[in-house]
Amino acid sequence: MSHKRRTFSISNVSRSAGEGVLDIPSLSVLRYKSPAVLLKEFKDTWGVDPKAVALPVSEADGLLYEVEGLRGVPLSSHAQPSQSLKGFEDVVEEFLTARKDIILTFCPSMGYIPGEGLQICDISGVTSPQPCIANPRSTEVLGAILGTGIDIVQEVASRKPGYGLQGVALDVTDLWGMSGEVGRVEASCFCTACTQHFADTTPELLKNFKTFPNPWSLLLRPTPTGIDFSSEVPPGITPEEIVGIARQRNYIEQFPKSEQNELLEYANLLLRYMRGRHALTLGAIGALFDYATQELEEKFTRILIMEGETYGWTSGIWLEELDNDFHNEENRSYDELWLNVTPGYLPRSVPYRAYMWRRSRYTINNFFHLAGSLSSASMRANTMLSKMSTEECRRMVADRWQRVHGSALSSQAALVSLPHRSGDGEADADVRRGFIGVGLDREFGDRFSDQLVILPSRADNAARPADSDLASILRRMQGSSN
């Protein structure tokens, strides 16, 4: 008697996952694989064809096309992706011809815009290359970059009826950087625009963050490798609960002389800061979207790319508050979220797509930012990278890629972990629209690391004594000691 194999529910995981989107974080990917190959690999990996393709409008090392008013800002080394794809416009046309809609992605924290007047500023008054998204002048610059990309896609789409621009996605995973050492958290931003916002909404608040230890240290702790943090912090958390978390994670040692009452006051100040930063960030996001789409008749989906944490320290956004704010359509600045699905909070009102990479774009951006810095003369000469030789830098890039790729969720099996899209009493069936598959694989990173053009530094030019010279030096030292 023959036995027929059964069909299990997970066999439908690709179809139940919703619409797939192919995200190409950098046009450098197209140096090694054609659009057709990337689309095929997406189908092979996930079991479905992508409904749309996400393309960047800029890279870590510069722009992908000329923007009127930004003469002097460098074009990226990836502005011409390959011999057949001469530029951004060709890439757009290729995917539209393949009958895919386009979603434009933009990371506003890339540091290729000159001038300290737009840059974020830390607690010590030190600026960083990335622009502050809350600065009204930054809105004009960043909005022009994104808006020009929108115009290019629409111009190409007018020659390819049937497919076009579906949405614009703003990567907010790393808007507000931070650094420091134990007991000295130095977060951003303290530029004029940010300080004015807090002065208008919560007078005297920021002065409590310009000393050490400050309220940030209740939930943040610098380590030799980065910042340890607690992100499972809902907007309704109490000061007592914050102090409890600080004690559980031993962050409390950063306040050696503080009593419980003082710690509770720190926690109250921290909550006020977090609320103010959330409001400021969403207002800046809305202003950027508005500027980039002004005078356009079409309404495009406005997307935020996030890590998926309950509270994003580097995004400045409470995920749960996005659900609460979503019902206010008149003042809403977003229509959809892309985030890595974590055990924490899941959107209940805002439509979202699961980003199939841990921490979403955060680690991916850091990799391309490192590569861009090694290709930048100013970054190579004026940072700690100047102390590293070309080969040391190349090994660092390769090592960084291995860690970044270790966060990939690039397999059909990873879709099994996503929440069901059928109503389960927790969320509406239409809230999760689909997933984002990233067009990066291990082979790309290996080839990219090997072929990356790294500018020489002082470390490469440092003279190294020959063996004979070392021998004579040793002899002279011995002679002087006798």
Side-chain angles (χ1 to χ4, degrees):
M1 180 179 177
S2 63
H3 180 77
K4 184 180 180 180
R5 292 191 180 185
R6 294 166 293 165
T7 301
F8 295 95
S9 59
I10 62 171
S11 64
N12 297 316
V13 65
S14 291
R15 290 192 294 273
S16 62
E19 290 184 354
V21 174
L22 167 61
D23 183 25
I24 300 176
S26 168
L27 293 194
S28 61
V29 174
L30 297 171
R31 181 187 305 168
Y32 309 108
K33 294 182 180 180
S34 68
V37 169
L38 289 170
L39 293 173
K40 180 182 182 301
E41 289 184 347
F42 188 98
K43 174 68 178 292
D44 293 342
T45 300
W46 305 106
V48 294
D49 289 312
K51 304 290 288 188
V53 175
L55 298 174
V57 298
S58 68
E59 302 273 351
D61 63 340
L63 303 174
L64 289 173
Y65 42 75
E66 298 287 349
V67 177
E68 188 173 352
L70 293 183
R71 183 178 299 170
V73 174
L75 282 180
S76 168
S77 58
H78 312 304
Q80 180 178 334
S82 66
Q83 291 184 346
S84 59
L85 299 171
K86 302 299 184 183
F88 179 78
E89 185 173 333
D90 287 351
V91 176
V92 171
E93 184 164 7
E94 190 79 7
F95 281 111
L96 290 177
T97 302
R99 308 179 71 174
K100 303 298 177 186
D101 284 322
I102 301 297
I103 298 173
L104 294 179
T105 64
F106 185 32
C107 181
S109 58
M110 298 304 183
Y112 44 72
I113 306 297
E116 295 184 355
L118 302 181
Q119 296 175 350
I120 62 171
C121 180
D122 69 14
I123 187 175
S124 303
V126 179
T127 59
S128 298
Q130 75 180 64
C132 174
I133 193 175
N135 187 322
R137 194 62 172 169
S138 295
T139 299
E140 298 179 23
V141 174
L142 300 173
I145 296 171
L146 179 57
T148 301
I150 293 173
D151 291 344
I152 292 173
V153 175
Q154 288 197 291
E155 180 182 338
V156 177
S158 67
R159 308 192 298 264
K160 302 280 184 181
Y163 295 88
L165 184 63
Q166 177 179 319
V168 287
L170 202 62
D171 184 342
V172 300
T173 57
D174 196 16
L175 296 178
W176 314 113
M178 59 185 69
S179 62
E181 56 192 59
V182 174
R184 292 179 60 91
V185 177
E186 299 180 14
S188 57
C189 174
F190 287 82
C191 75
T192 302
C194 287
T195 53
Q196 187 61 51
H197 167 81
F198 281 98
D200 293 340
T201 57
T202 50
E204 305 297 315
L205 176 64
L206 282 189
K207 70 178 183 180
N208 298 284
F209 292 82
K210 294 184 176 181
T211 185
F212 302 108
N214 56 50
W216 282 315
S217 293
L218 285 171
L219 295 176
L220 300 169
R221 177 176 176 168
T223 71
T225 58
I227 302 286
D228 189 27
F229 59 89
S230 176
S231 62
E232 298 306 311
V233 187
I237 196 171
T238 65
E240 289 80 6
E241 290 172 319
I242 288 180
V243 174
I245 292 174
R247 293 190 183 281
Q248 291 170 7
R249 300 178 71 105
N250 200 30
Y251 294 173
I252 206 72
E253 72 172 11
Q254 299 179 99
F255 301 88
K257 299 180 181 180
S258 297
E259 301 294 333
Q260 178 71 3
N261 287 341
E262 187 176 4
L263 293 173
L264 289 174
E265 180 57 28
Y266 277 136
N268 182 59
L269 293 169
L270 179 59
L271 282 171
R272 291 174 62 196
Y273 174 86
M274 293 165 74
R275 295 188 187 104
R277 181 59 73 183
H278 175 92
L280 174 62
T281 303
L282 287 189
I285 287 169
L288 199 163
F289 276 138
D290 287 344
Y291 191 90
T293 58
Q294 63 182 329
E295 301 179 14
L296 296 179
E297 296 180 0
E298 301 88 339
K299 298 295 183 183
F300 305 112
T301 302
R302 299 182 174 194
I303 304 162
L304 303 184
I305 305 177
M306 306 177 63
E307 288 192 58
E309 297 169 332
T310 303
Y311 180 77
W313 287 102
T314 52
S315 70
I317 296 176
W318 256 308
L319 187 53
E320 186 175 344
E321 283 297 290
L322 294 183
D323 263 344
N324 298 331
D325 297 340
F326 188 71
H327 300 290
N328 185 353
E329 295 187 15
E330 292 185 1
N331 296 322
R332 190 173 70 208
S333 58
Y334 51 91
D335 306 305
E336 182 176 304
L337 308 177
W338 292 359
L339 47 83
N340 176 218
V341 174
T342 67
Y345 185 85
L346 279 179
R348 287 170 165 75
S349 299
V350 188
Y352 73 94
R353 298 179 193 268
Y355 199 97
M356 306 307 293
W357 205 285
R358 295 184 186 92
R359 298 197 72 181
S360 186
R361 276 280 196 92
Y362 184 86
T363 56
I364 295 173
N365 288 345
N366 284 344
F367 172 76
F368 285 113
H369 178 73
L370 171 61
S373 297
L374 293 172
S375 302
S376 165
S378 60
M379 293 291 288
R380 189 79 166 97
N382 300 317
T383 67
M384 291 297 292
L385 295 174
S386 65
K387 298 182 179 181
M388 301 177 66
S389 69
T390 298
E391 285 309 308
E392 287 175 327
C393 290
R394 194 175 302 282
R395 287 195 296 270
M396 180 173 63
V397 172
D399 178 68
R400 179 73 62 86
W401 170 251
Q402 296 302 319
R403 285 183 283 157
V404 170
H405 189 262
S407 297
L409 303 172
S410 301
S411 70
Q412 185 189 41
L415 296 175
V416 177
S417 65
L418 301 183
H420 287 292
R421 295 184 67 243
S422 56
D424 57 4
E426 294 293 328
D428 188 87
D430 295 328
V431 172
R432 186 166 72 79
R433 290 178 171 172
F435 67 97
I436 310 297
V438 187
L440 297 174
D441 60 15
R442 186 175 299 279
E443 179 186 5
F444 161 78
D446 294 341
R447 298 176 68 181
F448 181 89
S449 301
D450 288 342
Q451 298 176 18
L452 178 66
V453 176
I454 300 176
L455 296 179
S457 71
R458 294 192 300 271
D460 291 300
N461 300 325
R464 180 178 179 179
D467 291 341
S468 58
D469 292 333
L470 287 172
S472 62
I473 292 172
L474 289 172
R475 284 195 297 271
R476 286 197 298 272
M477 291 176 63
Q478 291 172 349
S480 62
S481 62
N482 292 332

